[in-house]
Amino acid sequence: MERRATIKDVAEAAGVGVATVSRVLSGGSASAATRERVLAVAAQLDYRPSALGRNLRQRRTGGIGLLVPDLTDTFYGQLSEGVLACARSAGEPVVIGSTGGDPEQEADLVGMLLEQSVDRLIAVPSGDADTWSPALRAGMTVVFADRLPLQSSPEDVRAAAVADLMALDGLSAAAPARPLDIPAVVADDRAGIRTAVRYLRGLGHKRIAFLGGPGQESRVNAFREAVGAPVDEELVVFGTGSRDSAYAAASGLFQSRPDLSAVVAGGNVLGEAAVLAARELDLRVPRDVSLVMYDDVPWAELCSPPLTVIAQPGRDMGYRAAELVLRAGTRKPRSVVLPTELIIRGSCGPHR
């Protein structure tokens, strides 16, 4: 096996000291001629600095932590792929953990990463702001993806979500002060949900339901805003996150409100549950009920009929989050809002 070039090899070939090579490769001061010679030799020898040695000197393990609620969820798989792609290009390993949507398990995993000296983390948060305070006090660099942590009370959740949605339209609204100042990469939930509701209204649907799950406060608030007051709260139902819970919520909704004509599912697990529940109850899509699902996943096109979806860029979301967490040491990163797109297929039809 060919021996890997070391910093000493570069120094000897360039005719300079090891300290000079280290200074040049880390962006330190050196004459233009020395810098050019060192970089040319390093490229010729295919020299790659040891991340392990660098991180030991800095008393950190290197790498990026990534916490998602469910590794089997297709969207979180796409998000993880984006993080891995960006980290790979930067030569950083990724430690992935699944929180199961449980704030206590999330806190345990954050603590484990801190013990391992992993000081950069991308997370789809499940807990509230208090869950993340210890990580920030310990100096961990955190970037949220897909959503923000819950606020301290349901009232604060709704007020903050409404403020966020209005801000996307250039409006201002009073909102509780956020205890966390953490960048995030999220999709434009408001525009996506609003476009879907307008599309269903254009097809003549008036009794439109929303099927939601944990962490979807911004989507449900966008739905309430889109349908307008007064909101029929019986048409806004939630599962707890598991597939069984999502199915129970969808089945209960269809049976308790046979007058509804359309459903917006807040995620792909909820969309899957709505499809299965409708099939079990002999409801024909779209003749008896129209269905729009948030998230475009491969199986959506394989349904009969194919599902109309609100597509959000999961892989891009993960990649951008990784860019932010890697860039955090040089400047304070800013949050990013990514666009959504309504993809019309065959699961929606005119209200009969």
Side-chain angles (χ1 to χ4, degrees):
M1 183 178 294
E2 186 177 336
R3 185 176 71 88
R4 180 176 175 177
T6 67
I7 192 171
K8 186 177 180 181
D9 296 329
V10 176
E12 290 178 352
V16 298
V18 170
T20 300
V21 175
S22 177
R23 191 164 59 250
V24 169
L25 296 180
S26 62
S29 61
S31 68
T34 299
R35 181 181 302 279
E36 183 177 347
R37 185 165 69 254
V38 168
L39 292 176
V41 170
Q44 183 179 1
L45 297 179
D46 192 25
Y47 170 69
R48 287 168 289 173
S50 168
L52 177 60
R54 181 177 66 248
N55 292 326
L56 286 174
R57 289 192 297 274
Q58 297 174 354
R59 293 187 178 182
R60 54 182 293 270
T61 64
I64 301 169
L66 171 61
L67 298 181
V68 297
D70 182 1
L71 287 170
T72 67
D73 186 301
T74 305
F75 170 74
Y76 295 129
Q78 294 171 348
L79 187 149
S80 300
E81 280 293 328
V83 172
L84 291 169
C86 183
R88 186 163 50 247
S89 68
E92 293 282 0
V94 178
V95 181
I96 303 179
S98 176
T99 65
D102 181 358
E104 291 188 8
Q105 187 170 332
E106 179 177 75
D108 289 343
L109 287 171
V110 171
M112 181 191 70
L113 292 171
L114 286 170
E115 289 176 359
Q116 296 176 354
S117 299
V118 175
D119 59 1
R120 291 174 294 185
L121 176 63
I122 298 165
V124 179
S126 298
D128 59 19
D130 292 339
T131 303
W132 292 95
S133 296
L136 301 180
R137 287 195 299 267
M140 178 175 272
T141 299
V142 179
V143 171
F144 293 129
D146 184 47
R147 64 195 189 207
L148 298 173
L150 292 173
Q151 303 302 299
S152 57
S153 70
E155 292 76 17
D156 287 345
V157 170
R158 183 161 186 174
V162 170
D164 286 344
L165 295 172
M166 293 183 67
L168 293 174
D169 274 358
L171 305 175
S172 61
R178 295 186 185 278
L180 299 178
D181 183 18
I182 294 177
V185 181
V186 297
D188 191 346
D189 287 343
R190 187 189 194 196
I193 296 293
R194 181 173 54 190
T195 301
V197 171
R198 285 179 176 174
Y199 171 64
L200 291 170
R201 284 274 173 81
L203 292 173
H205 296 281
K206 296 181 179 179
R207 294 184 180 87
I208 305 170
F210 183 85
L211 184 60
Q216 295 180 359
E217 288 76 21
S218 66
R219 293 176 192 173
V220 71
N221 278 288
F223 175 79
R224 288 190 173 105
E225 183 185 60
V227 298
V231 177
D232 186 344
E233 292 296 338
E234 289 185 357
L235 293 178
V236 181
V237 299
F238 293 89
T240 60
S242 69
R243 281 175 164 76
D244 288 344
S245 174
Y247 177 82
S251 180
L253 173 65
F254 288 140
Q255 293 181 75
S256 64
R257 292 299 301 264
D259 59 326
L260 70 83
S261 62
V263 175
V264 177
N268 67 80
V269 172
L270 295 156
E272 175 186 303
V275 170
L276 293 175
R279 184 180 304 164
E280 289 291 323
L281 296 170
D282 292 325
L283 294 174
R284 295 162 296 178
V285 177
R287 183 179 179 86
D288 298 322
V289 61
S290 290
L291 178 60
V292 177
M293 179 176 74
Y294 206 109
D295 287 344
D296 189 19
V297 292
W299 60 260
E301 288 189 276
L302 303 178
C303 285
S304 180
L307 297 187
T308 294
V309 298
I310 303 165
Q312 59 173 337
R315 192 178 189 280
D316 191 25
M317 185 179 293
Y319 198 99
R320 298 290 291 275
E323 285 183 327
L324 290 187
V325 83
L326 289 168
R327 193 187 306 155
T330 58
R331 58 178 176 173
K332 183 176 177 57
R334 300 179 61 182
S335 294
V336 177
V337 178
L338 299 176
T340 57
E341 178 187 5
L342 181 67
I343 300 177
I344 298 173
R345 296 184 179 130
S347 63
C348 297
H351 179 51
R352 297 177 182 275

